Amino acid sequence: MEVLKIATAGSVDDGKSTLIGRLLYDTKSLTTDKLEAIEKKSKQLGYDYLDFSLATDGLVAEREQGITIDVAHIYFSTANKSYIIADTPGHVEYTRNMVTGASTSQAAIILIDARKGVIEQTNRHFFINNLLRIKTVIVAINKMDLVAFSEERYNTIKSDFETLMGKRDYQDQKISFVPVSALKGDNVVNKSEKMPWYTGKTLLENLESIAVQDIYNVGAPRFPVQYVIRPKTEDFHDFRGYAGKVYGGELSVGDEVVVLPSQTKSKIKAIYFHDENVETASRRSSVLITLEDDVNISRGDMIVKANDLPTIDKQFTAIISWMDDQKLTASSRYIVQHGVNKVLAKVACIHNKINPDYSGTEDTVDALGMNDIATVSFKLNKPIFYDAFKNHRTNGSFILIDSQSNNTVGAGFIQ
Amino acid sequence: MKNTSQVNPLENEAIYIFREVAAQFEKPVLLFSGGKDSITLVRLAQKAFYPAKIPFPLMHIDTGHNFPETIAFRDRLVNELGLELIVRHVQDAIDEGKVREESGKYASRNVLQTTTLLDAIEEFKFDACIGGARRDEEKARAKERIFSVRDDFGQWDEKNQRPELFDMLNGNIELGQNVRVFPISNWTELDVWSYIQREQIEIPSIYFAHTRATFLRDGLIWSAEDAVVYREEDEVVEERLVRFRTVGDMSCTAAVLSGATTISKVVEEIRASSISERGARIDDKRSEAAMEKRKQQGYF
């Protein structure tokens, strides 16, 4: 079955958790015991409605404060698809959490409070989803019940949002709008009787119509070697297989390949998909490859097709989303984890930073703080094999690790 | 010859995670309980390293309250696959006075496992413990990372977790820390059952419908056949056709009424079920934050 990962974005109190709870409830994904727990808790808190956010806010502190702190993963399915929703909080570490949630998602839902309309945060939510080149974005205009289900209000917000869309970098993004009331259940799973003027798809119908297969820009096949398998058993005495996941296009037996960084040429001898022999390894499959020639390959090397090489360089420029309390400064050192490859990196230059209101950029910056997004150049201690993020989602992205705390402190998108 | 066009994204993700563990850590271990999730993990690990053997041992933290069927199954599986199995017993920690046995109606050894687990991690210097927890099981688990860092007291700092981006897994840790790894984080209960069905994986017999002497408490069905399950005199024993949906400690795992005698009937039943899997686990019902609390203390 197809699995669709969705990121959610909304400001505090836009009703994100309620919307997800509503999706679960109306698709009958909430089990009796979970529902009973929500009923009990809602009553205890003195609400006269079911607080669906209680289904997703999993930590004690979250329930105490009535907010979402950390990314939660929610699962539900229809006859057609399995869904994984990354419920990302709108607070403090908003950008960090949104980038994290969106990095593994293929679609996004942006929530707007119909009373407030397009606000500064909406700008940010849209910017991040566009930066991460999320192909399908659904703008859910929520709390329509509080604006008397007004078509005029919906149209104003829609047209305000369309103004934002003019500025986007990634123009192929598909954007659709749905007026909903998560609390009352209008246009989430079931068509609203209160908004006969809206003839489009409900939120769920929008999700159901996304074709998961078309989501990634394919790009050239890249095979980062994760692990070398040498069984040293009688049956597989001299066997040397290279384990990894195929990113981008596909690889087939007989393909002429180049191993990076040694640039050694060889041919694919066999492909094992788990315990079976296969002819072709399609993208995102975890396989084991053997080569015709005896090549010295270790973890972090990359097997690519001979006619389509990535950039091989000891420097690159990337958009960085900074995620740590400790600031990124010019000339500081980090570990770049690019796929399975880890190299040491030094900040060469911070070029410009996106303004907090996402209206433009600031040119003279010497440090980046939590939630900042900026263009940064790096120098590496050895070459990596990369593509631009816009051409290759996987081979164009990386994470930054602080070598002292070992924490993941940033995400990067190679220009 | 076939190609891989029928890719199961969850299976491929899990295999990728297993290979990352083997590459990034020096001493990984697979925590094996004999339940369906850890049995699924073993199959995925076999696939991840084929044609080589699984490059790490299995470890079972035995509460002493396991279903006998599960233990027999565990030993057979380990033998057949030629795997190394480490067993550490909660009873030993009780005998040494490290932990005190709970008493009364709701007594369970589930919480006590944590001490034995942490001791074993220290004894073998494991730096990665692979487990079969899934995010759909419980809402504290929904917040869990695939690589989840624990300090040297085994504690989970849930409010200060590393962001996990793309499919890049950061396994950098300090000496003394360890990482809990959850390769089937993104699977649901139904995904696991469908996989068991597709792969024709053998599982212990208690997952299938059988007649068992049982009694009712708090609306749940408990086994009356096993001495470790506490029963009050006025709790009436009756034979029922049941199966178990999860296989934990006998004292805290309730059965469900079921006539499902084959995998396909089990899958059908779960598809139609309106009760969550952990709805029959009394350890989660202790309080709303039961799992979060246990995880903070190093519970798996």
Side-chain angles (χ1 to χ4, degrees), chain B residues 216-236:
Chain B
L216 289 179
R217 179 191 302 151
D218 304 329
L220 298 175
I221 304 163
W222 300 92
S223 174
E225 283 178 9
D226 304 283
V228 303
V229 185
Y230 176 89
R231 182 170 59 83
E232 299 203 325
E233 272 174 31
D234 59 347
E235 290 173 317
V236 187

Side-chain angles (χ1 to χ4, degrees), chain B residues 73-106:
Chain B
F73 182 90
R74 174 197 78 189
D75 293 339
R76 199 154 44 83
L77 182 81
V78 165
N79 263 330
E80 277 171 17
L81 301 182
L83 301 170
E84 187 195 338
L85 173 73
I86 298 165
V87 183
R88 285 295 173 269
H89 301 274
V90 171
Q91 188 63 51
D92 294 341
I94 295 171
D95 294 346
E96 288 163 26
K98 281 185 177 167
V99 292
R100 249 200 326 266
E101 184 113 61
E102 295 179 2
S103 59
K105 205 168 170 180
Y106 295 103

Side-chain angles (χ1 to χ4, degrees), chain B:
Chain B
M1 238 189 301
K2 285 175 58 168
N3 67 24
T4 60
S5 62
Q6 284 304 308
V7 168
N8 171 348
L10 296 170
E11 181 185 42
N12 280 280
E13 179 183 65
I15 288 172
Y16 171 82
I17 295 165
F18 266 114
R19 290 165 168 178
E20 280 303 289
V21 177
Q24 291 198 43
F25 298 95
E26 276 172 29
K27 259 206 117 178
V29 66
L30 193 153
L31 300 177
F32 186 82
S33 69
K36 65 177 191 316
D37 297 312
S38 49
I39 294 168
T40 300
L41 283 186
V42 171
R43 170 60 57 95
L44 289 163
Q46 274 185 292
K47 289 191 172 198
F49 302 106
Y50 176 88
K53 277 213 273 189
I54 299 175
F56 37 75
L58 269 50
M59 180 164 76
H60 183 210
I61 302 299
D62 187 347
T63 59
H65 288 177
N66 291 291
F67 291 96
E69 294 91 334
T70 316
I71 299 294
F73 182 90
R74 174 197 78 189
D75 293 339
R76 199 154 44 83
L77 182 81
V78 165
N79 263 330
E80 277 171 17
L81 301 182
L83 301 170
E84 187 195 338
L85 173 73
I86 298 165
V87 183
R88 285 295 173 269
H89 301 274
V90 171
Q91 188 63 51
D92 294 341
I94 295 171
D95 294 346
E96 288 163 26
K98 281 185 177 167
V99 292
R100 249 200 326 266
E101 184 113 61
E102 295 179 2
S103 59
K105 205 168 170 180
Y106 295 103
S108 145
R109 285 185 171 183
N110 196 29
V111 178
L112 306 188
Q113 288 180 79
T114 303
T115 305
T116 310
L117 171 64
L118 296 182
D119 285 350
I121 290 172
E122 209 166 294
E123 178 188 348
F124 293 97
K125 306 222 174 336
F126 290 128
D127 53 2
C129 302
I130 306 158
R134 308 188 322 267
R135 288 174 178 153
D136 80 318
E137 279 179 83
E138 200 277 337
K139 51 189 177 179
R141 283 196 165 156
K143 305 267 169 176
E144 186 60 275
R145 301 294 189 262
I146 290 172
F147 272 17
S148 181
V149 182
R150 303 301 164 102
D151 64 16
D152 33 2
F153 294 96
Q155 287 179 307
W156 182 50
D157 184 359
E158 77 287 357
K159 289 196 260 326
N160 193 22
Q161 301 194 72
R162 285 181 190 171
E164 232 159 37
L165 294 123
F166 314 105
D167 58 7
M168 290 172 217
L169 297 165
N170 171 8
N172 288 24
I173 49 168
E174 277 169 40
L175 202 64
Q177 288 183 324
N178 65 78
V179 169
R180 303 290 168 87
V181 181
F182 304 110
I184 57 168
S185 280
N186 284 325
W187 297 43
T188 62
E189 184 189 15
L190 188 59
D191 291 326
V192 172
W193 281 110
S194 309
Y195 191 72
I196 289 171
Q197 182 179 29
R198 197 195 82 187
E199 294 285 315
Q200 300 177 329
I201 300 172
E202 212 188 316
I203 49 169
S205 56
I206 52 170
Y207 280 114
F208 299 108
H210 57 279
T211 309
R212 190 174 273 264
T214 56
F215 66 95
L216 289 179
R217 179 191 302 151
D218 304 329
L220 298 175
I221 304 163
W222 300 92
S223 174
E225 283 178 9
D226 304 283
V228 303
V229 185
Y230 176 89
R231 182 170 59 83
E232 299 203 325
E233 272 174 31
D234 59 347
E235 290 173 317
V236 187
V237 177
E238 232 180 280
E239 288 217 327
R240 292 184 173 85
L241 187 61
V242 297
R243 63 175 208 92
F244 290 88
R245 238 174 119 176
T246 70
V247 173
D249 199 272
M250 275 191 291
S251 59
C252 63
T253 309
V256 291
L257 286 178
S258 169
T261 47
T262 61
I263 294 264
S264 61
K265 282 187 177 142
V266 169
V267 171
E268 223 172 278
E269 187 186 283
I270 287 168
R271 222 177 273 265
S273 169
S274 67
I275 303 281
S276 81
E277 181 179 8
R278 295 195 81 91
R281 288 287 281 262
I282 200 74
D283 46 332
D284 287 346
K285 298 209 162 176
R286 289 185 171 192
S287 83
E288 200 181 2
M291 175 69 86
E292 184 179 343
K293 278 187 200 149
R294 271 180 288 147
K295 283 171 70 74
Q296 285 164 348
Q297 289 155 7
Y299 180 75
F300 150 76

Side-chain angles (χ1 to χ4, degrees), chain A residues 77-146:
Chain A
S77 55
T78 61
N80 178 3
K81 249 186 225 132
S82 285
Y83 293 92
I84 304 176
I85 304 181
D87 181 16
T88 58
H91 276 254
V92 208
E93 294 166 352
Y94 43 82
T95 307
R96 158 183 151 150
N97 288 317
M98 266 194 61
V99 171
T100 304
S103 75
T104 53
S105 297
Q106 300 129 340
I109 300 172
I110 296 179
L111 251 96
I112 295 179
D113 184 329
R115 295 168 304 172
K116 297 181 196 154
V118 172
I119 55 173
E120 196 182 303
Q121 270 111 317
T122 316
N123 211 341
R124 176 195 305 139
H125 300 148
F126 179 62
F127 176 86
I128 291 173
N129 280 310
N130 202 259
L131 171 70
L132 274 106
R133 305 179 84 80
I134 302 289
K135 198 162 184 180
T136 310
V137 172
I138 302 163
V139 181
I141 299 168
N142 191 24
K143 307 201 181 181
M144 288 301 290
D145 52 316
L146 299 181

